[in-house]
Amino acid sequence: MSERKLLLGNDAMAHGLVESGCSVVASYPGTPASEILSGVALWRERYGVPMHVEWAVNEKVAFEIAYAAAQSGLRAATAMKQVGLNVASDPFMSAAYLGVTGGFVVISADDPGPHSSQTEQDSRLTAMSAKVPVLDPDSPNQARELIAAGFELSEAFRVPVMLRPTTRVCHANQDILPGPVAPSERTAAFVKDPARWAATPVFRHKLHLKLEEKLAGIAAWEPTAPRLLNPGVSSRKALVASGVAAAHAREVLADLGLRDVLPLWQVVQPYPLHTAFVERLLADYDEILVLEETTGVMELQLADRHRVKGKRSGFVPEVGELSPELVERLVAAFAGIPAAPSVAPPTGGGRRPTLCPGCPHRASFYAIKRAAPKGIYPSDIGCYTLGLNLGGVDTVLCMGAAVSQAAGFYHAYKLSGQVPDIVATIGDSTFFHAGIPPLIDAVVQDARFVLVILDNATTAMTGNQPTPALGWGAGGVPTATVDMEGLVKACGVRFCRSGEPGNLPAFTALMKEAVAFARTDGLAVVIARQPCVVDRTYTGERPPKRAVRVSDACNGCRFCTTQFECPALVYDEETKRVVVDTLVCSKCGVCVDVCPRLAIEEVGK
């Protein structure tokens, strides 16, 4: 018998995958979707369900692994954040044409705001471009329920189905009664059909025609049809909402006393919008307020936009989240009643985001600046993006771009005859994800720069998921390992050395050697290897603790607080000197080698 559980949205979706008989789940971590796969691994172990669950090297690989299982008749899923869908967009577009045999759910979590993303892009637009149906949950429990609906829809029409939760669904907690879990009785049975699975362009045209027929059927599929949440209300005005905006609208109508005044339609399938629903909206209502995050996907499908108030009309902001307060103001304005005065959020205070105390990346960036003080510093996606506070990050574009951009800067400056030092940084997980192809390209094209792989033995920013070098996978399952140095050398790199950034003098010397090599001989790779200070899964040896203090030699120059920016070093306005915050200090001791007056000393020495 199931028991009620307080579940995070991502855990609820994970449970939904397990209880729906999903056999294969693959993912690459990315906030806000990171906990879905670890949740699946947890439920798999708890229920003893045979499943293949893996952290793939990137989203494209994750998609293709899960898709092959769906081609074989099993239920399968892949999970990623919205920018991860960009990486997987190639197979995503093609899979819509080829279709599936077993149910296939693609979870692409969006981040309106954005809270932890490069963009506010709407995955539903990508789904429209691919012609893949989308389900848009308003809560953790509805996300769990729509997993099952997604598999049924996928198998009914033999197409991939996208589930698009947003941050407020992924990271909300809800009291949920999960469904029962039973192992899938399916076995993989791939049926060879080259005309479909390996279709040439002529057959792709036919598959496209079939896909359009499927979409017409999906636009009339009753289980995902829009729901009138307050039946019996008569008005010439109506609200149409999807995702978390629907949950906000439901509460706002009650708060404003409009529940019996304005009809509220919840759309769980924003693409393709149900054809009969569109016809009914245009027949029954003179004015329609559309609430959805982030882009006006439903608006695009409404033929008569003169009746619609939404993002395209400027009534609803096109940027940012639709918070409950904003939804209340929009609904009140639509209804023609006064809204509660808005309360400005608190401003000021707090501390800007920075690397953790004792983070080895801080020492790496410090050494990079000492070795190449006038260099260009392309960087990448990860917590080391915070190296920009240290002046060690000049560019951040997307996963793997640090390597390609370093090569691009080299070729651009080479044309002018003066090439500056170029030092790129990339995390270990990001290197495996997208750094290898541009590294090969840089070697082949003789681009000369230094690539520093910040190897902290984890995918730190998203919650310490494993990398291919560690030897364990989802749920702690043992895996094979990949030798990073061997991989770098196999790409053709002649200078590949490793160092421990916590040993700052030695690491700075290594960086200077690499910079000198890059100036005259070619691309150099330095692997900055030291474990993440907050990774509790790390079981290897860590550097010894070194408690420090600030001596009377400190003259308050603030070099350490501005150039090294460790949160444990605090400038005391009263004494005009720097002090060590012992509650914050991790005892890495690296700052001993930072102070130009040697005022920071190791305790006991």
Side-chain angles (χ1 to χ4, degrees):
M1 181 178 176
S2 297
E3 297 179 351
R4 299 194 72 85
K5 303 177 188 294
L6 183 63
L7 294 180
L8 188 72
N10 284 341
D11 282 334
M13 284 182 270
H15 201 285
L17 290 170
V18 177
E19 67 185 72
S20 296
C22 186
S23 297
V24 173
V25 186
S27 177
Y28 183 82
T31 306
S34 300
E35 299 86 359
I36 295 175
L37 190 91
S38 53
V40 172
L42 175 69
W43 297 124
R44 172 189 63 175
E45 182 178 359
R46 184 165 300 178
Y47 294 117
V49 180
M51 299 177 69
H52 176 74
V53 182
E54 77 160 76
W55 288 115
V57 72
N58 63 32
E59 293 87 352
K60 180 176 183 292
V61 174
F63 184 103
E64 290 160 351
I65 288 169
Y67 179 62
Q71 287 179 301
S72 303
L74 302 179
R75 285 188 166 183
T78 183
M80 60 198 72
K81 68 181 299 180
Q82 88 280 18
V83 292
L85 185 64
N86 298 341
V87 180
S89 61
D90 203 356
F92 182 64
M93 297 284 174
S94 198
Y97 280 37
L98 302 179
V100 297
T101 302
F104 185 36
V105 172
V106 179
I107 303 174
S108 183
D110 284 359
D111 186 23
H115 298 276
S116 56
S117 302
Q118 307 97 300
T119 68
E120 284 191 279
Q121 67 191 71
D122 192 326
S123 293
R124 301 176 306 166
L125 277 179
T126 308
M128 283 186 72
S129 179
K131 301 188 175 180
V132 167
V134 186
L135 305 179
D136 200 355
D138 69 2
S139 63
N141 190 50
Q142 190 175 70
R144 182 189 66 83
E145 293 174 340
L146 289 181
I147 293 277
F151 279 124
E152 292 169 5
L153 174 60
S154 176
E155 290 173 349
F157 293 91
R158 299 201 164 200
V159 294
V161 171
M162 176 185 287
L163 181 74
R164 195 290 296 248
T166 55
T167 302
R168 300 298 178 185
V169 172
C170 293
H171 290 171
N173 282 285
Q174 188 175 6
D175 181 31
I176 290 172
L177 181 61
V181 172
S184 172
E185 296 181 353
R186 301 185 187 189
T187 56
F190 176 70
V191 178
K192 293 188 177 185
D193 183 3
R196 176 186 181 188
W197 301 125
T200 57
V202 172
F203 287 99
R204 294 275 174 156
H205 177 72
K206 295 178 180 177
L207 291 173
H208 191 182
L209 292 173
K210 286 185 179 180
L211 178 57
E212 292 294 340
E213 293 174 2
K214 292 177 182 178
L215 287 172
I218 293 168
W221 205 52
E222 186 58 30
T224 57
R227 308 160 183 176
L228 182 58
L229 299 185
N230 49 353
V233 177
S234 178
S235 173
R236 295 301 295 175
K237 291 185 174 182
L239 304 181
V240 176
S242 72
V244 74
H248 296 336
R250 191 165 52 236
E251 295 180 2
V252 163
L253 280 186
D255 292 345
L256 295 177
L258 297 174
R259 200 176 190 286
D260 297 325
V261 177
L262 288 175
L264 171 58
W265 289 90
Q266 181 180 13
V267 175
V268 296
Q269 181 186 290
Y271 176 78
L273 205 54
H274 280 65
T275 306
F277 175 65
V278 173
E279 293 171 350
R280 180 171 180 177
L281 281 181
L282 299 179
D284 291 355
Y285 305 110
D286 297 327
E287 291 184 76
I288 304 160
L289 173 59
V290 179
L291 299 169
E292 56 185 324
E293 292 177 326
T294 308
T295 307
V297 169
M298 291 191 294
E299 283 184 66
L300 289 172
Q301 299 168 78
L302 294 174
D304 188 352
R305 296 192 189 123
H306 297 292
R307 304 188 199 184
V308 176
K309 293 183 182 296
K311 293 173 180 290
R312 294 179 66 83
S313 70
F315 192 84
V316 179
E318 291 198 77
V319 176
E321 287 188 292
L322 294 182
S323 66
E325 295 79 12
L326 177 56
V327 170
E328 181 176 337
R329 291 199 297 274
L330 293 171
V331 172
F334 182 66
I337 64 173
S342 59
V343 179
T347 59
R351 172 185 282 173
R352 68 174 177 174
T354 186
L355 295 167
C356 299
C359 175
H361 299 339
R362 178 177 287 103
S364 295
F365 284 115
Y366 186 84
I368 288 169
K369 288 187 64 181
R370 299 284 82 74
K374 297 182 180 179
I376 298 176
Y377 311 124
S379 192
D380 225 289
I381 306 296
C383 52
Y384 47 91
T385 300
L386 294 171
L388 62 88
N389 293 352
L390 303 165
V393 171
D394 289 328
T395 68
V396 175
L397 183 62
C398 63
M399 297 285 278
V403 190
S404 332
Q405 287 191 285
F409 283 125
Y410 172 78
H411 294 304
Y413 275 89
K414 185 182 176 184
L415 292 173
S416 64
Q418 290 186 326
V419 180
D421 294 329
I422 302 168
V423 183
T425 48
I426 189 171
D428 47 351
S429 181
T430 309
F431 174 69
F432 288 117
H433 177 285
I436 298 168
L439 180 60
I440 295 172
D441 186 86
V443 170
V444 170
Q445 298 298 328
D446 195 26
R448 299 183 179 186
F449 59 91
V450 179
L451 173 64
V452 181
I453 302 176
L454 302 166
D455 181 7
N456 60 357
T458 188
T459 311
M461 188 172 70
T462 51
N464 298 120
Q465 293 82 11
T467 77
L470 299 183
W472 60 275
V477 175
T479 66
T481 61
V482 173
D483 172 44
M484 187 180 289
E485 282 90 341
L487 187 58
V488 170
K489 292 175 182 176
C491 291
V493 175
R494 291 180 288 122
F495 184 109
C496 178
R497 302 268 297 278
S498 300
E500 184 178 329
N503 185 347
L504 193 56
F507 190 75
T508 303
L510 173 58
M511 281 303 310
K512 290 181 177 177
E513 186 180 349
V515 169
F517 183 91
R519 287 171 182 162
T520 57
D521 294 302
L523 197 155
V525 172
V526 173
I527 301 175
R529 180 161 289 149
Q530 192 168 317
C532 172
V533 290
V534 298
D535 182 10
R536 296 180 179 178
T537 65
Y538 183 77
T539 57
E541 187 177 353
R542 290 183 180 276
K545 296 288 187 181
R546 300 166 63 197
V548 298
R549 67 183 184 88
V550 179
S551 74
D552 292 341
C554 177
N555 65 352
C557 71
R558 305 197 199 193
F559 180 86
C560 59
T561 57
T562 58
Q563 300 300 309
F564 196 61
E565 204 196 40
C566 177
L569 297 174
V570 181
Y571 182 76
D572 188 328
E573 293 287 352
E574 186 173 333
T575 64
K576 307 299 182 186
R577 292 175 50 193
V578 171
V579 296
V580 176
D581 185 342
T582 55
L583 294 177
V584 175
C585 180
S586 69
K587 299 182 175 62
C588 71
V590 176
C591 55
V592 170
D593 298 308
V594 170
C595 178
R597 296 180 60 84
L598 305 179
I600 303 178
E601 302 173 339
E602 189 171 345
V603 175
K605 286 193 175 181

